[in-house]
Amino acid sequence: MGSKRIAVLGSRHVPITHQNLIEMMTYALVLSGNRVITSGATGTNSAAIKGAMRADPNFLTVILPQSLDRQPSESRQQLEKVMHLVENSSNDHLSLAEASYQCNKEIISRCQQLVCFAFHDSGILLQTCKDAEDQRKVVTLFYFD
């Protein structure tokens, strides 16, 4: 199968049991030689960062929707330990929703596969999945509801 660049994205509002599953999944993906790309939000992305960092920090890239200082303080402590961190300070003037959508588009452009955890009303995430499918990426979408 070989290694892939796999984007892991999802909702901020994730029960702790699901966060543990996401962490274990990204841990296993990195241990199998895959590179993980995610963003810096709490919930899904934070769990993905935790799992990838535990396996091998070199195989993790985090792309932020805005600059690091615009991230919530609970995220910042974790993000400061990430080796491959991309800040998008040029998006600081945008709303978080707009910046997140732009960030997700950048993440999709860098991956071969997308694993997404969403609710049926997660507009930005569902649009990101559609964009990834339009680019012929492999998309695996898990719903929390």
CSV table of all heavy atoms in Angstrom, one decimal, residues 26-62:
chain,number,residue,atom,x,y,z
A,26,THR,N,-4.9,8.0,14.5
A,26,THR,CA,-3.8,8.8,13.9
A,26,THR,C,-2.5,8.2,14.4
A,26,THR,O,-1.5,8.2,13.6
A,26,THR,CB,-3.9,10.3,14.2
A,26,THR,OG1,-4.0,10.5,15.6
A,26,THR,CG2,-5.0,10.9,13.5
A,27,TYR,N,-2.4,7.7,15.6
A,27,TYR,CA,-1.2,7.1,16.1
A,27,TYR,C,-0.9,5.9,15.2
A,27,TYR,O,0.3,5.7,14.7
A,27,TYR,CB,-1.5,6.6,17.6
A,27,TYR,CG,-0.3,5.9,18.2
A,27,TYR,CD1,0.8,6.5,18.6
A,27,TYR,CD2,-0.4,4.5,18.4
A,27,TYR,CE1,1.9,5.8,19.2
A,27,TYR,CE2,0.6,3.8,19.0
A,27,TYR,CZ,1.7,4.5,19.4
A,27,TYR,OH,2.8,3.8,20.0
A,28,ALA,N,-1.9,5.1,14.9
A,28,ALA,CA,-1.7,3.9,14.0
A,28,ALA,C,-1.3,4.3,12.6
A,28,ALA,O,-0.4,3.7,12.0
A,28,ALA,CB,-2.9,3.0,14.0
A,29,LEU,N,-1.9,5.3,12.1
A,29,LEU,CA,-1.6,5.8,10.7
A,29,LEU,C,-0.2,6.2,10.6
A,29,LEU,O,0.5,5.9,9.7
A,29,LEU,CB,-2.5,7.0,10.3
A,29,LEU,CG,-4.0,6.7,10.0
A,29,LEU,CD1,-4.8,8.0,9.9
A,29,LEU,CD2,-4.0,5.9,8.7
A,30,VAL,N,0.3,7.0,11.6
A,30,VAL,CA,1.7,7.4,11.6
A,30,VAL,C,2.7,6.2,11.8
A,30,VAL,O,3.7,6.1,11.1
A,30,VAL,CB,2.0,8.5,12.6
A,30,VAL,CG1,3.4,8.9,12.8
A,30,VAL,CG2,1.2,9.8,12.2
A,31,LEU,N,2.3,5.3,12.7
A,31,LEU,CA,3.2,4.2,12.9
A,31,LEU,C,3.3,3.3,11.7
A,31,LEU,O,4.3,2.7,11.4
A,31,LEU,CB,2.7,3.3,14.1
A,31,LEU,CG,3.0,3.8,15.5
A,31,LEU,CD1,2.5,2.7,16.5
A,31,LEU,CD2,4.4,4.0,15.7
A,32,SER,N,2.3,3.4,10.8
A,32,SER,CA,2.3,2.6,9.5
A,32,SER,C,3.0,3.4,8.4
A,32,SER,O,3.0,3.0,7.3
A,32,SER,CB,0.9,2.3,9.0
A,32,SER,OG,0.0,2.2,10.0
A,33,GLY,N,3.6,4.5,8.8
A,33,GLY,CA,4.4,5.3,7.8
A,33,GLY,C,3.7,6.4,7.1
A,33,GLY,O,4.2,7.0,6.1
A,34,ASN,N,2.5,6.7,7.4
A,34,ASN,CA,1.7,7.7,6.8
A,34,ASN,C,2.0,9.1,7.4
A,34,ASN,O,2.4,9.2,8.5
A,34,ASN,CB,0.2,7.5,6.9
A,34,ASN,CG,-0.2,6.2,6.2
A,34,ASN,OD1,-0.2,6.1,5.0
A,34,ASN,ND2,-0.6,5.2,7.0
A,35,ARG,N,1.9,10.1,6.6
A,35,ARG,CA,2.0,11.5,7.1
A,35,ARG,C,0.6,12.0,7.3
A,35,ARG,O,-0.3,11.8,6.5
A,35,ARG,CB,2.7,12.3,6.0
A,35,ARG,CG,4.1,11.8,5.8
A,35,ARG,CD,5.0,12.8,4.9
A,35,ARG,NE,6.3,12.3,4.9
A,35,ARG,CZ,7.2,12.6,5.9
A,35,ARG,NH1,6.9,13.4,6.9
A,35,ARG,NH2,8.5,12.2,5.8
A,36,VAL,N,0.4,12.7,8.5
A,36,VAL,CA,-0.9,13.2,8.8
A,36,VAL,C,-0.8,14.7,8.7
A,36,VAL,O,0.1,15.4,9.2
A,36,VAL,CB,-1.3,12.8,10.3
A,36,VAL,CG1,-2.5,13.5,10.8
A,36,VAL,CG2,-1.5,11.3,10.3
A,37,ILE,N,-1.9,15.3,8.1
A,37,ILE,CA,-2.0,16.7,8.0
A,37,ILE,C,-3.4,17.1,8.7
A,37,ILE,O,-4.4,16.4,8.4
A,37,ILE,CB,-2.1,17.2,6.5
A,37,ILE,CG1,-0.9,16.6,5.7
A,37,ILE,CG2,-2.2,18.7,6.4
A,37,ILE,CD1,-1.1,16.7,4.2
A,38,THR,N,-3.4,18.1,9.5
A,38,THR,CA,-4.6,18.5,10.2
A,38,THR,C,-4.5,20.0,10.5
A,38,THR,O,-3.6,20.7,10.1
A,38,THR,CB,-4.8,17.7,11.5
A,38,THR,OG1,-6.2,18.0,12.0
A,38,THR,CG2,-3.8,18.0,12.6
A,39,SER,N,-5.5,20.5,11.1
A,39,SER,CA,-5.5,21.9,11.5
A,39,SER,C,-5.4,22.0,13.1
A,39,SER,O,-5.2,21.0,13.7
A,39,SER,CB,-6.8,22.6,11.0
A,39,SER,OG,-6.6,24.0,11.2
A,40,GLY,N,-5.5,23.2,13.6
A,40,GLY,CA,-5.2,23.3,15.0
A,40,GLY,C,-6.3,23.5,16.0
A,40,GLY,O,-6.1,23.8,17.2
A,41,ALA,N,-7.5,23.2,15.6
A,41,ALA,CA,-8.7,23.4,16.5
A,41,ALA,C,-8.7,22.3,17.6
A,41,ALA,O,-8.1,21.3,17.5
A,41,ALA,CB,-10.0,23.3,15.7
A,42,THR,N,-9.5,22.6,18.6
A,42,THR,CA,-9.8,21.6,19.7
A,42,THR,C,-10.6,20.5,19.1
A,42,THR,O,-11.1,20.5,18.0
A,42,THR,CB,-10.5,22.3,20.8
A,42,THR,OG1,-11.7,22.9,20.4
A,42,THR,CG2,-9.7,23.4,21.5
A,43,GLY,N,-10.8,19.5,19.9
A,43,GLY,CA,-11.7,18.3,19.5
A,43,GLY,C,-10.9,17.4,18.5
A,43,GLY,O,-9.9,16.9,18.9
A,44,THR,N,-11.5,17.2,17.4
A,44,THR,CA,-10.9,16.2,16.4
A,44,THR,C,-9.5,16.5,16.1
A,44,THR,O,-8.6,15.6,16.2
A,44,THR,CB,-11.7,16.2,15.1
A,44,THR,OG1,-13.1,15.8,15.4
A,44,THR,CG2,-11.2,15.2,14.1
A,45,ASN,N,-9.2,17.7,15.7
A,45,ASN,CA,-7.8,18.1,15.2
A,45,ASN,C,-6.8,17.9,16.4
A,45,ASN,O,-5.7,17.4,16.2
A,45,ASN,CB,-7.8,19.5,14.7
A,45,ASN,CG,-8.7,19.6,13.5
A,45,ASN,OD1,-9.2,18.7,12.9
A,45,ASN,ND2,-9.0,20.9,13.1
A,46,SER,N,-7.2,18.3,17.6
A,46,SER,CA,-6.3,18.2,18.7
A,46,SER,C,-6.0,16.7,19.0
A,46,SER,O,-4.9,16.4,19.3
A,46,SER,CB,-7.0,18.9,19.9
A,46,SER,OG,-6.2,18.7,21.1
A,47,ALA,N,-7.0,15.9,18.9
A,47,ALA,CA,-6.8,14.4,19.1
A,47,ALA,C,-5.9,13.9,18.1
A,47,ALA,O,-5.1,13.0,18.4
A,47,ALA,CB,-8.2,13.7,19.1
A,48,ALA,N,-6.1,14.3,16.8
A,48,ALA,CA,-5.2,13.8,15.7
A,48,ALA,C,-3.8,14.3,16.0
A,48,ALA,O,-2.8,13.5,15.8
A,48,ALA,CB,-5.7,14.4,14.4
A,49,ILE,N,-3.6,15.5,16.4
A,49,ILE,CA,-2.2,16.0,16.7
A,49,ILE,C,-1.6,15.1,17.9
A,49,ILE,O,-0.4,14.7,17.8
A,49,ILE,CB,-2.3,17.5,17.2
A,49,ILE,CG1,-2.6,18.3,16.0
A,49,ILE,CG2,-0.9,17.9,17.8
A,49,ILE,CD1,-3.0,19.8,16.3
A,50,LYS,N,-2.4,14.9,18.9
A,50,LYS,CA,-1.9,14.1,20.0
A,50,LYS,C,-1.4,12.7,19.6
A,50,LYS,O,-0.3,12.3,20.0
A,50,LYS,CB,-3.0,14.0,21.1
A,50,LYS,CG,-2.6,13.7,22.5
A,50,LYS,CD,-3.8,13.8,23.4
A,50,LYS,CE,-3.4,13.4,24.8
A,50,LYS,NZ,-4.6,13.4,25.7
A,51,GLY,N,-2.2,12.0,18.8
A,51,GLY,CA,-1.8,10.7,18.3
A,51,GLY,C,-0.6,10.7,17.4
A,51,GLY,O,0.3,9.9,17.6
A,52,ALA,N,-0.6,11.6,16.5
A,52,ALA,CA,0.6,11.7,15.6
A,52,ALA,C,1.8,12.1,16.3
A,52,ALA,O,2.9,11.5,16.0
A,52,ALA,CB,0.3,12.7,14.4
A,53,MET,N,1.8,13.0,17.2
A,53,MET,CA,2.9,13.4,18.0
A,53,MET,C,3.5,12.3,18.8
A,53,MET,O,4.7,12.1,19.0
A,53,MET,CB,2.6,14.6,19.0
A,53,MET,CG,2.2,15.9,18.3
A,53,MET,SD,3.7,16.8,17.7
A,53,MET,CE,4.3,17.4,19.2
A,54,ARG,N,2.6,11.4,19.4
A,54,ARG,CA,3.0,10.3,20.2
A,54,ARG,C,3.8,9.3,19.3
A,54,ARG,O,4.7,8.7,19.7
A,54,ARG,CB,1.8,9.7,20.8
A,54,ARG,CG,2.1,9.0,22.1
A,54,ARG,CD,0.8,8.6,22.8
A,54,ARG,NE,-0.1,7.9,21.9
A,54,ARG,CZ,-0.8,6.9,22.2
A,54,ARG,NH1,-0.8,6.4,23.4
A,54,ARG,NH2,-1.6,6.3,21.3
A,55,ALA,N,3.3,9.1,18.1
A,55,ALA,CA,3.9,8.1,17.2
A,55,ALA,C,5.2,8.6,16.6
A,55,ALA,O,6.3,8.0,16.7
A,55,ALA,CB,3.0,7.8,16.0
A,56,ASP,N,5.2,9.8,15.9
A,56,ASP,CA,6.4,10.4,15.3
A,56,ASP,C,6.1,11.8,14.9
A,56,ASP,O,5.5,12.0,13.9
A,56,ASP,CB,6.9,9.6,14.2
A,56,ASP,CG,8.3,10.1,13.6
A,56,ASP,OD1,8.6,11.2,13.9
A,56,ASP,OD2,9.0,9.3,13.0
A,57,PRO,N,6.6,12.8,15.7
A,57,PRO,CA,6.3,14.2,15.3
A,57,PRO,C,6.7,14.7,13.9
A,57,PRO,O,6.1,15.6,13.4
A,57,PRO,CB,7.0,15.0,16.4
A,57,PRO,CG,7.3,14.1,17.5
A,57,PRO,CD,7.4,12.7,16.9
A,58,ASN,N,7.7,14.0,13.4
A,58,ASN,CA,8.2,14.3,12.0
A,58,ASN,C,7.1,14.1,10.9
A,58,ASN,O,7.2,14.6,9.8
A,58,ASN,CB,9.4,13.5,11.7
A,58,ASN,CG,10.6,14.1,12.4
A,58,ASN,OD1,10.9,15.3,12.3
A,58,ASN,ND2,11.3,13.2,13.1
A,59,PHE,N,6.1,13.2,11.2
A,59,PHE,CA,5.1,12.8,10.2
A,59,PHE,C,3.8,13.6,10.4
A,59,PHE,O,2.8,13.2,9.8
A,59,PHE,CB,4.8,11.3,10.4
A,59,PHE,CG,5.9,10.4,9.8
A,59,PHE,CD1,7.2,10.4,10.3
A,59,PHE,CD2,5.7,9.7,8.7
A,59,PHE,CE1,8.2,9.7,9.7
A,59,PHE,CE2,6.7,8.9,8.1
A,59,PHE,CZ,8.0,8.9,8.6
A,60,LEU,N,3.9,14.7,11.1
A,60,LEU,CA,2.7,15.5,11.3
A,60,LEU,C,3.0,16.9,10.8
A,60,LEU,O,4.0,17.6,11.0
A,60,LEU,CB,2.4,15.6,12.8
A,60,LEU,CG,1.4,16.7,13.3
A,60,LEU,CD1,0.0,16.2,12.8
A,60,LEU,CD2,1.4,16.8,14.8
A,61,THR,N,2.0,17.4,10.0
A,61,THR,CA,2.0,18.8,9.6
A,61,THR,C,0.6,19.4,10.1
A,61,THR,O,-0.4,18.8,9.8
A,61,THR,CB,2.1,19.0,8.1
A,61,THR,OG1,3.3,18.4,7.6
A,61,THR,CG2,2.0,20.4,7.6
A,62,VAL,N,0.7,20.6,10.7
A,62,VAL,CA,-0.5,21.3,11.2
A,62,VAL,C,-0.5,22.6,10.4
A,62,VAL,O,0.4,23.4,10.5
A,62,VAL,CB,-0.5,21.5,12.7
A,62,VAL,CG1,-1.7,22.3,13.1
A,62,VAL,CG2,-0.5,20.2,13.4
